[in-house]
């Protein structure tokens, strides 16, 4: 996303009810508002509501990015919001460094920064 699109995204995201976006950002069991994201249907409903708050051109760009990601890197997004294609990876597996997914330069930079912190 460019700077303008990023501003549009956050402007739309924070138009959602506080419970929806707070639950999404918390995103862990037993935290407030997790019921909005604890399952396929609630996550799908959240995604549709979030997209509905965005300008149409940004919503289309984001959907195209999701399709491109799924075609290139696997079906994590589809698995996380629908019962299609089985369960997504668990959190424990999802946090492992995977050479075949995402922006490798960014991952390496983040890993170096974490290492520099002594953690």
């Amino acid at each position: 996303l460019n700077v303008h699109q990023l501003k549009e995204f956050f402007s739309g995201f924070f138009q959602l009810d506080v419970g929806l976006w707070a639950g999404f950002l918390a995103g862990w069991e037993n935290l407030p508002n997790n019921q909005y994201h604890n399952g396929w249907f609630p996550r799908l409903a959240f995604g549709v509501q979030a997209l509905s708050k965005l300008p149409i051109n940004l919503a289309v760009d984001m959907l195209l990015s999701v399709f491109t990601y799924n075609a290139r890197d696997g079906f994590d997004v589809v698995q996380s919001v629908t019962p299609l294609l089985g369960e997504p990876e668990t959190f424990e597996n999802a946090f492992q460094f995977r050479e075949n997914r995402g922006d490798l330069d960014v991952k390496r930079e983040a890993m170096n920064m974490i290492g520099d912190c002594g953690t």
Side-chain angles (χ1 to χ4, degrees), residues 38-59:
N38 195 14
W40 286 311
F41 183 74
R43 288 190 297 265
L44 182 59
F46 169 79
V48 169
Q49 289 178 69
L51 284 173
S52 75
K53 301 294 184 183
L54 302 178
I56 190 71
N57 60 326
L58 180 57

Side-chain angles (χ1 to χ4, degrees), residues 94-119:
F95 288 130
Q96 293 176 359
F97 185 88
R98 293 180 282 185
E99 287 285 340
N100 65 332
R101 298 221 178 138
D103 187 324
L104 295 180
D105 291 333
V106 171
K107 284 183 174 184
R108 288 187 184 104
E109 181 180 357
M111 295 298 282
N112 289 335
M113 291 172 72
I114 291 168
D116 290 344
C117 292
T119 57

